[in-house]
Amino acid sequence: MNILVTGGAGYIGSVVVEETLRAGHKTIVYDNLVKGHREMIAPDALFVEGDLLDRPLLEKTFVENDIEAVIHMAAYSLVGESVIDPAKYYMNNVVAGISLLDAMRDGGVSKIVFSSTAAVYGEPEKQPIEEADRTAPTNPYGDTKLAFEHALKGYERAYGIRYASLRYFNAAGASERCGEMHDPETHLIPIVLQAADGQREQVEIYGDDYPTRDGTCVRDYIHVIDLARAHVKALEILGERSAIFNLGCGGDGYTVNEVVEAARKITGREIRTRVSERRAGDPAVLIASSDRINSELGWRPEFQDLELIIESAWKWMQNKSENAAAKDA
Ligand SMILES: NC(=O)c1ccc[n+]([C@@H]2O[C@H](COP(=O)([O-])OP(=O)(O)OC[C@H]3O[C@@H](n4cnc5c(N)ncnc54)[C@H](O)[C@@H]3O)[C@@H](O)[C@H]2O)c1
């Protein structure tokens, strides 16, 4: 297929593009580079630098490349920022997203895979979380993602646009070429590795008195390559129907302390930590049930091991530093 990947210069998007190319799809990255990185775009992908709100450019890109499906990953995704500036999130994650959907409707593109999030569940009533569980986001970021899911339902019913909404838990790890480079970085694994690398003094642990096995929060980490491969599988079902899938690895998840310990082991470096107050709205445990995507699409994680995930991210970070040093020399 000919696929447009919005946000394909971002962390997850750049790995998704590697996987769509590997599966033989012609892939066009559409990104305004507000958060993305040009050098992360796979060399075999075409690149259009543009904003989702630029309807004429979107429509031209659809026509010129005969686009058949969209993987929509472009969004803002900082929970804290969304609380301080919800307008920014509604504009980009909802209004700009609708601009994309309208361009698809008008251009006759009828398949979309959407990057949704575990944040749509808010504080879950039970673990592991299943797709049919109550959605009740606790911040504007989650609200905007859920609002877009609702729009998808309406656009399917009225205009026949099929969707697969993938509710990611915590994406982590790296491919050989692409890794996590958010600014600011708010995700635990890169933060822990930055501390190991001397880029930050310590890791802040928000609360160690949760009712978990060591008092720190439990989260579900999924290797970014496993996550990316799920997108390729999700594209396949869009010929038949729409669906919502959780994307995590289930199991018991990992506590913050377990992540830090595993990183100490892998890097062989000192990683200092400091315990501070709990953050408002941080649930003790967030674990996905991925049974639905397992049984309906036959998706299985291949790299479901915390050490493998951290090792890949560390290797990527070390290579990046070496390349930067070689350039400077
Ligand atoms: N990283 C995670 O663990 C995680 C978890 C749940 C959901 N998600 C979702 O997955 C998607 C990708 O996340 P990521 O971590 O790779 O983020 P990222 O910030 O690295 O990538 C987002 C990309 O979208 C681009 N973009 C943003 N607004 C745009 C616009 N209006 N027009 C064109 N391009 C635009 C940015 O330049 C960037 O390249 C996001 O939708 C995010 O909400 C991520």
Side-chain angles (χ1 to χ4, degrees), residues 59-270:
E59 283 169 20
K60 183 167 164 259
T61 308
F62 286 158
V63 172
E64 282 180 355
N65 298 287
D66 205 6
I67 295 296
E68 298 164 83
V70 172
I71 300 181
H72 176 39
M73 316 192 73
Y76 291 140
S77 52
L78 297 171
V79 169
E81 184 183 59
S82 80
V83 175
I84 294 163
D85 191 1
K88 179 174 175 182
Y89 279 71
Y90 277 93
M91 182 53 74
N92 206 33
N93 297 2
V94 182
V95 177
I98 300 295
S99 159
L100 171 72
L101 281 183
D102 284 353
M104 288 176 64
R105 179 198 56 193
D106 296 350
V109 182
S110 59
K111 294 174 185 164
I112 182 168
V113 178
F114 171 56
S115 303
S116 190
T117 167
V120 300
Y121 296 111
E123 303 232 11
E125 289 163 329
K126 64 163 191 40
Q127 303 290 339
I129 304 167
E130 292 172 288
E131 292 83 349
D133 289 353
R134 186 182 62 137
T135 49
T138 51
N139 53 64
Y141 167 61
D143 282 330
T144 60
K145 289 286 181 175
L146 189 58
F148 193 77
E149 284 197 1
H150 289 150
L152 287 172
K153 263 189 219 154
Y155 274 64
E156 182 195 38
R157 207 173 301 131
Y159 312 122
I161 295 179
R162 292 240 176 86
Y163 66 89
S165 189
L166 304 182
R167 294 176 175 166
Y168 311 161
F169 283 61
N170 296 280
S175 70
E176 231 170 275
R177 224 180 46 83
C178 302
E180 203 159 359
M181 228 191 320
H182 295 113
D183 182 21
E185 188 57 76
T186 57
H187 294 153
L188 181 64
I189 289 177
I191 285 177
V192 166
L193 294 180
Q194 285 170 358
D197 199 38
Q199 297 175 40
R200 61 173 78 217
E201 243 177 63
Q202 62 194 12
V203 176
E204 207 71 34
I205 296 178
Y206 298 104
D208 64 353
D209 55 352
Y210 284 94
T212 60
R213 49 187 177 269
D214 63 21
T216 62
C217 287
V218 173
R219 293 291 179 268
D220 184 337
Y221 295 92
I222 172 169
H223 196 295
V224 67
I225 296 179
D226 283 328
L227 186 69
R229 291 187 179 160
H231 291 69
V232 177
K233 287 213 171 262
L235 279 170
E236 289 164 12
I237 62 146
L238 290 178
E240 298 160 28
R241 61 188 171 95
S242 294
I244 295 177
F245 295 114
N246 282 343
L247 265 176
C249 288
D252 294 331
Y254 299 99
T255 68
V256 175
N257 280 341
E258 286 164 357
V259 170
V260 173
E261 221 25 75
R264 285 185 180 128
K265 182 174 157 207
I266 285 157
T267 63
R269 306 268 181 96
E270 186 194 358

Side-chain angles (χ1 to χ4, degrees), residues 10-12 31-32 34-36 52 73 92 141 145 168 171 182:
Y11 165 46
I12 303 172
D31 198 300
N32 62 7
V34 66
K35 295 276 180 184
L52 293 172
M73 316 192 73
N92 206 33
Y141 167 61
K145 289 286 181 175
Y168 311 161
H182 295 113

Side-chain angles (χ1 to χ4, degrees), residues 270-291:
E270 186 194 358
I271 300 173
R272 292 175 55 196
T273 57
R274 194 182 75 150
V275 177
S276 53
E277 290 293 294
R278 290 181 178 197
R279 289 182 300 198
D282 246 356
V285 180
L286 278 180
I287 292 179
S289 159
S290 290
D291 288 354

